[in-house]
Amino acid sequence: MYEQISHTLLNDILNRIKPEISEQDLRHFYTRLGANFYGIHSLFQRLYGDRDDFDNQAQKLVETMAQQYIKRPEKLRQLDLEREKDYNWFLSQQWVGMALYCKGFADTLQGLQKRLHYFQELGINLVHVMPILRCPEGSSDGGYAVSDFREISPEVGTMEDVRKLADEMHKRDILLVLDVVVNHTSNKHDWATHARAGEQKYLDYYYTFENRNVPDMFEQSMPEIFPETAPGNFTWDEEMGRWVMTVFNDYQWDLNYSNPAVFIEMLDIILFWANQGADILRLDAVAFLWKKIGSTCQNEREAHLILQLLKDCCQVSAPGVVFIAEAIVAPVEMIKYFGEDAVIAKECEIAYNATFMALLWDAVATKNARLLNQGIKSLPVKLERATWLNYVRCHDDIGLGFDDRDILLCDYEPARHRRFLVDYFTGKFDHSHARGLPFGQNTKTGDTRISGSLASLVGLEHALESGDNQAIDDSIKLILLLHGMILSFGGIPLLYYGDELGTLNDDSYRDDPYKKGDTRWVHRPSIDWDKAERRNTPGTIEYEIFSALKRMIAVRKEIDVFADFNNRELLEVENPHLFVFGRYHLQKQSKHVLVVANFSDKPQHLNLEDLGIWGTQYRFPVDLYRGESPDIFKNSLVIPEFGFYWLCEQ
Ligand code: GLC
Ligand code: GLC
């Protein structure tokens, strides 16, 4: 769009631009800047337009973008051009991800590089390496309390190791996902040190207060994220003699995005990581970016504007890089992190599908799919060119963040139903063999979340201890069923390291004084590579799970209707144990796939006639995952306990 005011400002900026920038060949940069500048300017103006130094800040913004473009390695610039042409590249069903801690998976970055073949063996081609940056010693929230955004933790390696890893991954067509912890820094970050020393410039990077007046006002409407270990949202800093806003842990200081200098710093860091070869950047805790008195300080309008601005700027300097929004919030809020419009108000291309994750766990506990069906029915349709990250487990807890209205529509009472789920997964409920642990228990609100490894949550740990083969089989079936869902739903499936081997809870965190208060560590394992070898020995649990997942992943990649073009139809059926949806092609006449999942511990049947047009297509169906025909009697499809099908007409 051409608009006079922003165009004039852009001309002024370009006239004043530093010679080291103006001397470069910036053809692609200028084309993209011209295309995006109206958006950039209006967002920057809305956020910071009332400041006297607005023009200077705008100048700095453009120079930051230009300088990072200049530093962008040639091969990444080429990749940008390729991805600009093939702009739907990240929607493909070819991508299958895994999230891991470098230390737990392979000790070091070099170790990780040596294990890349493991991903290829399983079919993983997108790897999220969780934070590897320098953190305070002791507690660091698993790396999410960053002390230096440009320095690798010496425990895992060096910057050179990251670049080599990225190179080697690219050679093998594996995408690298890295975090940018945009919402806060550790209290040991240089900025915090300067703030503590009383330097105004850096005090303005955070929210600090000399007394409790403003903090107390905020506290009236802000929830607590870690109520047990870090109650409240402010921490007294003795040295600074001020309160500082710390929404997460007391050593994680929230950044002040009402200061454009903070925005520019963080954009610079995002582009820096894009230039180190990250294909995808996971923007951590994005729901929290804007603080406003009287609100929960989550999902504020300005948080979205900040993300739109980050996206617009990144598209100018590194358009091949896409963002993942980590916003674990209510379903209606979650969807907004894709942006309001696919072109003029884009935010993140990818977002965590926390709703689907929590609903899947509901189906596991209740052994029926009522809430799962209801929750998916209520999930708003997302934007074009946006995709989910579908997952079963991740390094965080499971929050039961579905909508109360959906719970009510299933004739459950919300508080009681949530209590049941927590009891079920912490093994308190009769007949439950789950071994989860409570996380984030809040005595004021009654809220609780759940920690635990996938295998332990679906009963494998208990089954092994009791030597119950039937129960072992059932847990394996559940592990595969849940993966069968995230691999077919539409979006990028993200496996969690260790789950492909049936890794159980790891209690060793209890001996570490810095970890013992945080039960999430129970599901952040160190991979036992000797045990992992058993994936090659038929009859072992590792083999059963690994080989089944490997097959599932390979088959997924062959099914083009599994690419995510909002081409899914939820099919409501009478049998409450079943979750049924169809995947279809929007344009091509390619074969549709019917996904049928049974969350009950008994076989269930589905009358194909109930499926309308979808049912009539399946006269001689084949289950693509097993390569076999499913059992059908007359018009009833029989789905074994904890079983699923990916059905296609032969
Ligand atoms: C994100 C991370 C989580 C961390 C939090 C604070 O939600 O996934 O592990 O505790 O941000 O950084
Ligand atoms: C809350 C936050 C989420 C974070 C999690 C960590 O759910 O919304 O961002 O990952 O806490 O436990």
Side-chain angles (χ1 to χ4, degrees):
M1 171 181 312
Y2 178 82
E3 187 270 336
Q4 205 66 56
I5 300 173
S6 63
H7 191 76
T8 308
L9 176 66
L10 181 56
N11 278 338
D12 289 349
I13 289 176
L14 296 181
N15 284 336
R16 285 197 306 254
I17 212 145
K18 294 181 181 152
E20 71 254 35
I21 297 176
S22 62
E23 284 157 10
Q24 303 274 334
D25 170 15
L26 301 180
R27 191 164 51 99
H28 292 298
F29 174 80
Y30 286 135
T31 318
R32 293 172 188 142
L33 183 63
N36 271 14
F37 197 72
Y38 171 70
I40 291 173
H41 175 248
S42 43
L43 288 163
F44 204 64
Q45 167 93 39
R46 275 179 75 178
L47 286 163
Y48 309 114
D50 55 356
R51 294 178 57 110
D52 294 341
D53 63 348
F54 177 78
D55 283 4
N56 276 340
Q57 296 290 352
Q59 180 85 28
K60 265 186 96 177
L61 181 72
V62 173
E63 287 182 355
T64 301
M65 284 153 58
Q67 260 146 358
Q68 290 293 1
Y69 177 79
I70 291 166
K71 288 190 195 138
R72 190 151 175 80
E74 186 48 36
K75 61 178 190 310
L76 295 180
R77 290 192 194 178
Q78 283 306 320
L79 198 61
D80 288 337
L81 295 173
E82 283 165 32
R83 288 181 178 164
E84 275 180 331
K85 273 195 214 126
D86 180 22
Y87 49 80
N88 285 334
W89 65 274
F90 58 95
L91 304 178
S92 159
Q93 80 283 3
Q94 294 292 335
W95 303 118
V96 178
M98 180 179 276
L100 51 87
Y101 281 104
C102 178
K103 226 172 147 224
F105 186 81
D107 274 338
T108 60
L109 289 161
Q110 289 185 10
L112 182 55
Q113 190 171 329
K114 292 200 190 99
R115 294 219 179 266
L116 290 178
H117 63 89
Y118 181 76
F119 302 121
Q120 289 173 300
E121 185 186 333
L122 185 57
I124 298 293
N125 52 13
L126 177 156
V127 178
H128 171 206
V129 183
M130 280 184 281
I132 44 175
L133 299 178
R134 192 158 71 74
C135 280
E137 275 177 39
S139 296
S140 67
D141 196 19
Y144 286 95
V146 177
S147 299
D148 188 326
F149 288 105
R150 293 182 178 82
E151 199 185 317
I152 302 298
S153 157
E155 281 195 5
V156 297
T158 62
M159 195 60 92
E160 190 50 28
D161 293 339
V162 181
R163 278 190 290 259
K164 281 197 186 140
L165 177 70
D167 269 356
E168 190 54 37
M169 286 174 74
H170 287 159
K171 279 189 205 143
R172 298 175 190 234
D173 290 325
I174 303 175
L175 301 177
L176 175 61
V177 186
L178 292 176
D179 283 86
V180 180
V181 185
V182 283
N183 179 67
H184 42 260
T185 73
S186 95
N187 60 352
K188 301 279 163 59
H189 193 285
D190 249 5
W191 302 338
T193 308
H194 286 293
R196 214 177 267 119
E199 281 178 48
Q200 194 56 45
K201 173 174 173 198
Y202 292 100
L203 279 166
D204 289 344
Y205 274 39
Y206 301 99
Y207 293 106
T208 71
F209 307 93
E210 60 183 6
N211 58 41
R212 283 291 309 184
N213 294 342
V214 177
D216 283 345
M217 188 70 235
F218 266 113
E219 289 291 12
Q220 288 191 30
S221 54
M222 285 177 87
E224 295 171 308
I225 305 303
F226 299 138
E228 298 151 306
T229 47
N233 290 284
F234 296 85
T235 301
W236 174 254
D237 188 90
E238 196 55 59
E239 217 181 310
M240 185 165 58
R242 293 176 77 84
W243 292 93
V244 57
M245 186 183 267
T246 53
V247 170
F248 288 88
N249 287 294
D250 54 13
Y251 51 84
Q252 288 164 306
W253 290 18
D254 286 66
L255 286 164
N256 170 12
Y257 277 88
S258 23
N259 177 359
V262 167
F263 179 89
I264 294 169
E265 292 268 20
M266 295 316 287
L267 172 67
D268 198 33
I269 289 162
I270 286 176
L271 296 175
F272 172 83
W273 282 104
N275 285 351
Q276 307 313 306
D279 299 282
I280 302 180
L281 293 171
R282 173 192 183 275
L283 306 185
D284 183 65
V286 287
F288 297 83
L289 293 180
W290 196 264
K291 317 298 199 265
K292 193 190 277 169
I293 280 180
S295 78
T296 58
C297 297
Q298 289 181 41
N299 308 314
E300 285 300 311
R301 174 93 191 108
E302 288 82 353
H304 289 285
L305 301 181
I306 289 166
L307 289 169
Q308 287 170 23
L309 185 55
L310 286 173
K311 178 82 275 181
D312 278 351
C313 295
C314 186
Q315 279 175 336
V316 174
S317 302
V321 170
V322 299
F323 291 163
I324 300 177
E326 193 254 347
I328 314 301
V329 293
V332 285
E333 294 296 339
M334 204 169 71
I335 201 109
K336 297 184 188 160
Y337 289 89
F338 293 124
E340 279 159 63
D341 182 284
V343 181
I344 56 167
K346 186 82 198 166
E347 295 180 22
C348 300
E349 291 83 351
I350 308 174
Y352 276 75
N353 198 347
T355 304
F356 187 41
M357 180 276 298
L359 290 167
L360 286 172
W361 284 106
D362 186 89
V364 170
T366 58
K367 299 194 172 50
N368 73 61
R370 277 157 66 194
L371 188 56
L372 173 56
N373 275 298
Q374 181 55 46
I376 295 303
K377 201 163 117 184
S378 307
L379 194 67
V381 179
K382 56 181 167 51
L383 285 187
E384 280 169 55
R385 304 201 55 243
T387 196
W388 292 119
L389 203 61
N390 292 315
Y391 62 114
V392 179
R393 287 300 289 118
C394 71
H395 69 294
D396 282 330
D397 45 286
I398 302 172
L400 306 174
F402 13 72
D403 202 310
D404 279 357
R405 278 164 303 191
D406 288 331
I407 306 183
L408 287 164
L409 284 169
C410 295
D411 294 329
Y412 303 128
E413 195 281 311
R416 232 180 336 166
H417 188 64
R418 288 206 170 85
R419 188 70 250 161
F420 154 73
L421 292 171
V422 171
D423 286 348
Y424 183 90
F425 286 115
T426 53
K428 282 201 203 123
F429 188 77
D430 278 353
H431 308 301
S432 158
H433 294 157
R435 287 279 171 86
L437 297 169
F439 177 78
Q441 273 179 303
N442 189 328
T443 45
K444 287 167 246 167
T445 60
D447 283 349
T448 305
R449 285 118 76 190
I450 298 150
S451 289
S453 79
L454 168 60
S456 292
L457 287 170
V458 296
L460 185 59
E461 191 175 331
H462 178 273
L464 286 168
E465 276 171 21
S466 51
D468 180 343
N469 286 333
Q470 172 70 43
I472 294 177
D473 273 2
D474 284 350
S475 340
I476 296 177
K477 281 184 194 151
L478 268 169
I479 291 175
L480 301 182
L481 168 63
L482 292 167
H483 282 96
M485 298 301 97
I486 60 165
L487 281 150
S488 59
F489 186 76
I492 301 172
L494 185 73
L495 281 68
Y496 184 58
Y497 81 119
D499 287 349
E500 77 287 6
L501 299 164
T503 305
L504 304 177
N505 280 352
D506 175 1
D507 290 330
S508 64
Y509 77 100
R510 293 200 179 122
D511 305 326
D512 183 330
Y514 298 113
K515 294 181 177 162
K516 68 177 181 202
D518 187 333
T519 58
R520 289 177 298 170
W521 287 101
V522 83
H523 58 251
R524 295 173 175 179
S526 284
I527 299 297
D528 176 343
W529 287 102
D530 290 333
K531 204 165 152 267
E533 274 304 312
R534 292 193 214 149
R535 71 186 184 279
N536 300 311
T537 310
T540 63
I541 289 170
E542 290 78 4
Y543 175 87
E544 293 296 321
I545 300 174
F546 192 92
S547 56
L549 287 177
K550 181 172 164 176
R551 176 173 173 86
M552 226 184 268
I553 291 170
V555 172
R556 163 188 157 96
K557 292 183 181 174
E558 296 295 311
I559 304 179
D560 57 1
V561 289
F562 280 0
D564 187 13
F565 290 92
N566 289 338
N567 49 336
R568 178 188 54 249
E569 183 180 349
L570 180 70
L571 300 166
E572 289 185 69
V573 298
E574 249 172 53
N575 185 334
H577 300 287
L578 302 181
F579 180 49
V580 185
F581 58 88
R583 300 296 317 272
Y584 55 93
H585 222 295
L586 294 176
Q587 288 110 20
K588 268 196 282 175
Q589 264 312 324
S590 102
K591 281 193 177 166
H592 298 178
V593 173
L594 183 71
V595 177
V596 184
N598 173 12
F599 283 88
S600 160
D601 55 358
K602 312 247 171 0
Q604 298 292 327
H605 67 93
L606 169 66
N607 188 351
L608 288 172
E609 279 163 8
D610 282 359
L611 297 178
I613 179 89
W614 279 93
T616 57
Q617 294 176 20
Y618 294 97
R619 295 194 37 212
F620 304 105
V622 62
D623 173 24
L624 294 172
Y625 165 52
R626 282 171 202 78
E628 293 167 1
S629 301
D631 293 309
I632 297 185
F633 180 77
K634 297 194 176 160
N635 239 332
S636 282
L637 176 73
V638 175
I639 313 103
E641 66 277 12
F642 304 131
F644 74 94
Y645 293 130
W646 290 346
L647 293 181
C648 184
E649 181 65 9
Q650 265 171 348

